[in-house]
Amino acid sequence: MHAYLITAQPSRWRRAGRWVRVCTTRLLIGAVLLLLGLLVLVIRSLRPIVNVLATWAVRTELEISIRTGLPSIGASLGAHLTEEFVREFHKGWDRTTKEGQPS
């Protein structure tokens, strides 16, 4: 006589439950991927519109500053932000070079 390992097969209900779980998981993953794809599409589609609006705003501000003789707000804010960035960059650069040298 040979020894056989007898295993119980999953019942019809268990197989149906597994099929429902697998299909539900795949549908949810597909929905998440679809939503991410739509989000990327919207962001990529809006970028050229934002660029056009920003260019229009800069040109309008420049034209107004030329006509009124007042300095443009964007240029002064941009210059201030640039100065602040350069200051932070140099502070970080000096700190790392001083820490790297032996005392």
Side-chain angles (χ1 to χ4, degrees):
M1 293 221 2
H2 297 288
Y4 291 104
L5 180 62
I6 300 172
T7 58
Q9 297 293 321
S11 68
R12 224 179 253 171
W13 290 106
R14 283 189 182 258
R15 280 183 282 177
R18 180 179 294 160
W19 180 83
V20 168
R21 188 178 68 232
V22 167
C23 285
T24 305
T25 304
R26 288 180 181 171
L27 285 174
L28 286 174
I29 290 172
V32 167
L33 289 175
L34 184 67
L35 288 175
L36 285 173
L38 286 174
L39 179 68
V40 168
L41 180 67
V42 167
I43 290 172
R44 291 185 132 212
S45 299
L46 287 179
R47 186 174 176 195
I49 296 170
V50 170
N51 286 343
V52 168
L53 289 175
T55 304
W56 174 80
V58 167
R59 287 182 180 169
T60 304
E61 183 186 19
L62 180 63
E63 185 178 333
I64 291 171
S65 70
I66 288 172
R67 289 185 183 196
T68 60
L70 298 172
S72 64
I73 297 171
S76 60
L77 285 177
H80 178 69
L81 287 174
T82 303
E83 289 173 9
E84 194 65 32
F85 174 75
V86 168
R87 189 177 306 119
E88 287 292 323
F89 177 78
H90 285 299
K91 189 166 53 171
W93 184 269
D94 292 339
R95 187 180 310 137
T96 55
T97 55
K98 288 178 183 174
E99 290 173 0
Q101 296 175 353
S103 302

